[in-house]
Structures are given as structure tokens and as C-alpha cells.
Amino acid sequence: MAKDATTVAGSEESGYDTEKNPFADPDAAEHWRLVYEKSQYECRHVYDPALTWTEEEERKIVRKLDWRICLWACIMFFALQVDRGNLAQAVSDNMLDDLGLTTNDYNDGNSIFRLSFLVAELPSQLVSKKIGPDRWIPIQIVLWSVVAISQCALTGRTSFLATRSLLGLLEGGFIPDIVLWLSYFYTSRELPIRLSYFWTSLSVTGIITSLLAFALLHLRGVNGWGGWRWLFLVEGIITLAVGLVSFFMMPASAVQTKAWFRPNGWFTDRELGIVVNRVLRDDPSKGDMHNRQAITLPRLWEALKDYDLWPLYAIGLIEFIPTVPPTQYITLTLRNLGFSPFTTNLLTIPYNVFHIINLLLLTWLSERLNERGFVALLQPLWTLPCLIALRWWPGVVIDKWGTYALVTVLVSYPYAHAILVGWTSRNSNNVGVRSVSAALYNMAVQAGSITASYVYQEKDKPLYKKGNQNLVAVNILVIFVFLFTKFYYVYRNKRRDRIWNAMTEEERLAYARDTKLTGSRRLDFRFAH
């Protein structure tokens, strides 16, 4: 089991039980009190090394957090996914023909969106850390909703590419911003399963918007518009409403839930103490910056050169390449198989349902086993045989329902993204690094998605043999990178253990108190894997 820095810092020789409470040692408690005062951490007045609580009290607190915090995070992610994912439904309504676009133009639009999304990731995260995700996220949602609504007035290739770029710039950074906000309320062990709920809303959105599309695309001809124009208009208005309500649903921290519209706040004084101290005991570094503190250039540089996180960025860069083209093209594939626009959107619902089930099961398994590398490896192991069949099975396209079944199984893969985001957050071990690493990981994912957008080419359709052959090769590479990352962190932990175990108790305490190293660079930190 991987341990955090403060857990390793304690020992049986000291006489203090630091396994559950790293502040049980008075020296450690005083050290962190000074850290929190120096950083002006917003929850420092609630910090209490001696506070105790029962497991039942904590379970009740977590349930309250799930209803207040996690649920709204899922609703906001729904808003994101509606506006970045409805293009696939729009093209099932002959949008490309209406605007005189080709599938290569469609690829360009997806790539421009992802490139813009990538470029905006880090700047958005820096803005969020400066003014607070509770302010920045609602602003993002409102702004991108306006652009999403404007897509109902598209006239051709130029306006199509322009709106794709604007949506990417405004939506970029949203996911790491949300992860940062959630980390204020949840422990590192709880975060991945909450992120799985978060990404479950991606598939739920797919189901809801498929049903909406089935209705809205029937409006083709009303007011002289194509059904896809009504789709962009109505769904954009929905996300705008979510953005406006979000200004009132996102407290800046656990101690800032009281407001003029919420005079009693969300927690009693005792509940507040439990919320804050359980998070700090899980990761004391969560209080080394306050929630309106900008990331300085030296902090940014330190985070960028933290090479121990690079293997996770490498996974993010290539892991989703094998699944992006089949998912991105599923509606076009179904149309090419002869299904109508309305039937096509309904046929996408089953894979979204299976996607939800597999995502939750995979993340639950990771949490239950406290295992990240081998559990997340199940994703590429699932997709590999499907891609092999998609490339070499003679019945592809010829067998209509067989092809549909194959593609559905492929895109129903167990989605490891929640595990990987939580893994990156956990191995950052510092608020400043965590803010940057979340953005860098998502930038790697977007860079991979840009590459994936060009795997299927116009000249290679309808079977995309060359494209699918390339996806098989990348999928095999993903498996090897996962194994490398797993064993890299095992090696790093064993190497630190040898050095740490050779130190005396006095040397360990002096190191924990005096070292200037932060985050995962600390000798007393152990990487999760």
C-alpha cells in the first residue's frame, strides 16, 4: 500500500500513532500549524490535531459532501459534455452536407477544438488558482454556452472552425479546475471514486442528449432550419442555465459555505472540524497554499520539471488514442451502415449504459484493492481484441448488426480516466504541483486526441483498415507504458525505503522538520501505484 509523506515520517519508536493522524506527534503538529499560518490557509482556524470523530460521523459527512459537492460537479460536467459532445449527433442530421463540409473538415474541426482546449488548459488552471475555481468555473460555463448557442447560425467551414476553436479555448481547463475544487473536500482515497461519478455523467449525458437529439432532429424544416440548428440552440440554453446557477452552488472551501443566500451554511461547527481535519490528515500539504493564491513562476517551473509525474503524462498522451476514432465516428459509422438519423442516436444509448457500468466497476475495484496500475491496465486489455476484430474481421460493414455489436463493445470499454486523474493528484503531494499536474495530464490527453482525430482518413473509408491497424499498434504500446509506470513507482519507493530505513529516528524527525523539498520530491513521500 502506498503511503503519503507524513505516514512514512512517523515510526513506532516515536511513541505516536501517526498512521491515522500525522499530527499525533506534537513536533509535526506544530510544524504544520506554522506552515498553515504562513500560507494563510483559509481553514487554518479549524485545524485541530487532537480532534477525534467516529467512523459513522465521517460517513455522514461524506454523504453530505456527495449531495452538496459531488452532485453539482456532475451537473456542471453534464453542461460541459453537452456542448462538446453534441457535434457527433449534429452530423447524424446531415449537418456536413448542409454546410458543404467533408469528413476531413469534420476531423479539422475536432482537432482545432482539442488544440484550443489543450492551449487553454494551463492558463485556465492558473486563473482558477488565483481567483478560485468557485468563481472561474461558472464564468467558463456561461461564456462557452453563448458560443454553443451561436452554432445554430453556422454558415460554412469558416464559422464552423471558429466556433470549434472558441469552445475549446473556453472549455479548456474546466476538468482540472473541478478536480482542484473536489480535492478541497475529499481525501486522496475518496477522490477517484468521486471522479468516476463525475465521468459517469459523461455517459449519462450521452443517453440524455441522444434522447434529446431524437426529438430535436425531428424539428428539421421548422423555421427553415435543419434539426441540428435546433439541437445547438436548445442544448446551449440548458448549459447556460447550469452556468448561472453554478455561481450560487460552489462554496470556495468548507469554511466558506455561508453566504447571503445561504445564511446557515452547510455544516455545524463539529462537522466543519471533521471535514477540514480529515482532509489534512490524509494530505497535510493541502493547506500549504490558500485558495486565492496564484501559482508563481518558480512554483510553475518546479511542477513542470517534476519528472516523477512524466510517466503518467505519457499514459495520458497515448491511452485514449485507440478509442477516440471509433467513438468519434460512431454516428457516421451507423449512418454508413444504413441506419436513419433517429435510429442512429437511439443505438448509441446502449454503449453509454455499458460505459457507466464498466467505469464504476473499474474505479470501485481500484479503490477496493488500493491498486491503480494493474486495474487501469484493464482498459487497453479490453480494447485490443476489439480493435483486432475491427481491422481483420471480414464481416465489418458487410454484417450490419455484427458491426454494430463490435463497435458497441469496443466503445463500452472500462474508462480508466478517473483512476489516472486521481493517481496524478495523489502523486503530486502539493497543492501548487497538483494544480499544474492536473492541467499537464489533461493537456497530454488532448494532444493524444488531436493525433487520434487524423487516424481515420477520407481515402481509407469505409473500412479504415490502415487506421485500425495503427490503433492496434498504439494499443499494444499503451499496455507496455502502463507496465513501465507501475514498476517505475515500485522501484522509486524501494529506493527511498532503503535510504529512509538507514536513517536514525532523530535524523528522520529532523528531515521532516527542516527539509526545503516539497511535493513528491520529499524523501519521506511514497508514490501510489
Side-chain angles (χ1 to χ4, degrees):
M1 172 178 169
K3 299 179 180 181
D4 62 33
T6 50
T7 298
V8 178
S11 80
E12 292 180 1
E13 296 175 26
S14 67
Y16 301 107
D17 179 15
T18 58
E19 183 69 29
K20 291 185 177 180
N21 182 3
F23 310 125
D25 183 336
D27 290 336
E30 178 62 16
H31 164 74
W32 285 107
R33 185 189 67 79
L34 295 174
V35 170
Y36 300 153
E37 286 294 336
K38 182 179 179 180
S39 69
Q40 294 294 290
Y41 172 50
E42 64 277 1
C43 301
R44 63 190 182 281
H45 62 285
V46 188
Y47 168 60
D48 184 356
L51 182 66
T52 60
W53 57 86
T54 66
E55 291 184 1
E56 180 58 28
E57 284 182 298
E58 186 165 7
R59 280 194 293 269
K60 289 181 179 178
I61 290 291
V62 173
R63 284 197 295 269
K64 180 177 283 191
L65 289 171
D66 287 342
W67 279 107
R68 302 282 191 177
I69 301 296
C70 187
L71 178 60
W72 193 255
C74 292
I75 291 173
M76 290 187 292
F77 190 70
F78 165 82
L80 172 75
Q81 191 57 26
V82 165
D83 286 336
R84 74 172 180 169
N86 57 8
L87 180 61
Q89 291 150 349
V91 297
S92 72
D93 186 48
N94 300 320
M95 173 187 165
L96 298 183
D97 293 336
D98 289 351
L99 295 177
L101 304 176
T102 66
T103 52
N104 283 344
D105 293 326
Y106 177 61
N107 288 340
D108 289 340
N110 282 310
S111 295
I112 287 173
F113 170 82
R114 290 191 170 97
L115 179 61
S116 301
F117 199 98
L118 183 155
V119 169
E121 287 271 10
L122 190 55
S124 176
Q125 187 73 350
L126 297 179
V127 171
S128 179
K129 191 66 189 71
K130 173 63 177 176
I131 71 174
D134 55 297
R135 295 172 177 171
W136 179 235
I137 290 173
I139 292 172
Q140 282 182 287
I141 299 175
V142 168
L143 291 176
W144 88 52
S145 296
V146 173
V147 177
I149 292 171
S150 73
Q151 292 178 108
C152 71
L154 292 177
T155 57
R157 187 174 189 272
T158 301
S159 57
F160 169 66
L161 297 180
T163 53
R164 287 287 98 193
S165 178
L166 284 172
L167 281 174
L169 289 172
L170 294 171
E171 292 178 359
F174 172 83
I175 293 173
D177 294 342
I178 282 284
V179 173
L180 175 64
W181 185 61
L182 288 172
S183 72
Y184 294 159
F185 301 93
Y186 290 104
T187 66
S188 59
R189 188 82 180 267
E190 295 163 347
L191 187 58
I193 194 68
R194 270 71 201 176
L195 291 176
S196 75
Y197 301 156
F198 183 58
W199 269 287
T200 292
S201 59
L202 181 151
S203 297
V204 172
T205 304
I207 295 170
I208 294 173
T209 54
S210 292
L211 294 172
L212 267 176
F214 180 78
L216 293 172
L217 295 183
H218 275 92
L219 294 177
R220 170 170 281 274
V222 176
N223 199 37
W225 280 13
W228 59 269
R229 295 188 187 274
W230 288 106
L231 184 77
F232 285 137
L233 175 63
V234 173
E235 293 186 348
I237 292 172
I238 292 172
T239 58
L240 178 61
V242 172
L244 293 173
V245 176
S246 295
F247 282 104
F248 304 96
M249 294 298 292
M250 296 185 68
S253 71
V255 298
Q256 294 168 283
T257 62
K258 291 183 179 180
W260 62 267
F261 53 87
R262 196 168 47 229
N264 296 324
W266 286 346
F267 309 109
T268 65
D269 289 343
R270 176 163 177 78
E271 288 175 334
L272 188 58
I274 297 172
V275 170
V276 172
N277 284 281
R278 71 187 202 95
V279 169
L280 290 177
R281 291 179 192 182
D282 172 69
D283 183 354
S285 71
K286 286 188 177 181
D288 65 5
M289 293 181 74
H290 65 76
N291 61 358
R292 296 284 191 265
Q293 182 177 350
I295 297 173
T296 62
L297 287 177
R299 273 183 177 265
L300 176 60
W301 176 242
E302 284 298 315
L304 290 171
K305 67 179 186 179
D306 188 351
Y307 57 81
D308 283 315
L309 293 174
W310 292 357
L312 291 172
Y313 302 154
I315 290 176
L317 181 64
I318 63 174
E319 186 190 14
F320 301 102
I321 290 177
T323 58
V324 166
T327 305
Q328 188 171 287
Y329 270 71
I330 188 166
T331 53
L332 290 174
T333 299
L334 294 178
R335 288 303 310 279
N336 289 334
L337 290 173
F339 294 108
S340 71
F342 313 113
T343 304
T344 291
N345 282 289
L346 292 178
L347 286 175
T348 62
I349 292 177
Y351 94 77
N352 282 299
V353 174
F354 294 135
H355 199 268
I356 291 171
I357 295 170
N358 284 331
L359 167 61
L360 293 176
L361 286 175
L362 189 76
T363 314
W364 172 84
L365 182 63
S366 175
E367 182 183 35
R368 182 68 180 268
L369 301 178
N370 195 25
E371 170 61 49
R372 296 158 181 85
F374 288 146
V375 173
L377 184 61
L378 293 174
Q379 175 179 321
L381 292 177
W382 175 293
T383 55
L384 181 58
C386 296
L387 289 170
I388 291 173
L390 198 59
R391 166 59 182 86
W392 283 284
W393 178 47
V396 173
V397 176
I398 298 172
D399 184 338
K400 180 177 178 179
W401 286 103
T403 303
Y404 166 69
L406 175 59
V407 174
T408 298
V409 171
L410 170 59
V411 298
S412 300
Y413 64 94
Y415 192 49
H417 199 35
I419 296 174
L420 287 162
V421 172
W423 193 359
T424 304
S425 175
R426 166 67 178 76
N427 281 357
S428 299
N429 196 43
N430 175 277
V431 174
V433 175
R434 186 174 290 116
S435 300
V436 176
S437 66
L440 291 176
Y441 169 77
N442 275 285
M443 289 172 70
V445 172
Q446 294 305 319
S449 297
I450 292 170
T451 303
S453 294
Y454 289 99
V455 171
Y456 285 177
Q457 291 290 316
E458 183 86 15
K459 61 185 179 182
D460 197 25
K461 70 178 190 181
L463 297 178
Y464 300 110
K465 287 187 175 182
K466 184 177 180 181
N468 287 324
Q469 190 166 314
N470 290 335
L471 294 181
V472 170
V474 173
N475 200 120
I476 294 171
L477 177 62
V478 171
I479 293 173
F480 282 106
V481 174
F482 258 114
L483 293 173
F484 168 81
T485 302
K486 170 71 178 181
F487 292 113
Y488 173 78
Y489 286 134
V490 171
Y491 163 76
R492 292 286 285 151
N493 286 348
K494 286 183 176 179
R495 186 171 182 275
R496 289 183 177 186
D497 282 340
R498 286 196 297 270
I499 299 172
W500 187 258
N501 293 336
M503 298 168 65
T504 65
E505 179 64 17
E506 291 73 20
E507 288 173 330
R508 294 175 189 174
L509 291 174
Y511 178 89
R513 182 182 65 247
D514 301 330
T515 184
K516 302 300 181 184
L517 295 175
T518 60
S520 64
R521 295 299 182 88
R522 291 175 62 99
L523 182 61
D524 52 359
F525 174 77
R526 299 295 177 268
F527 295 99
H529 53 76

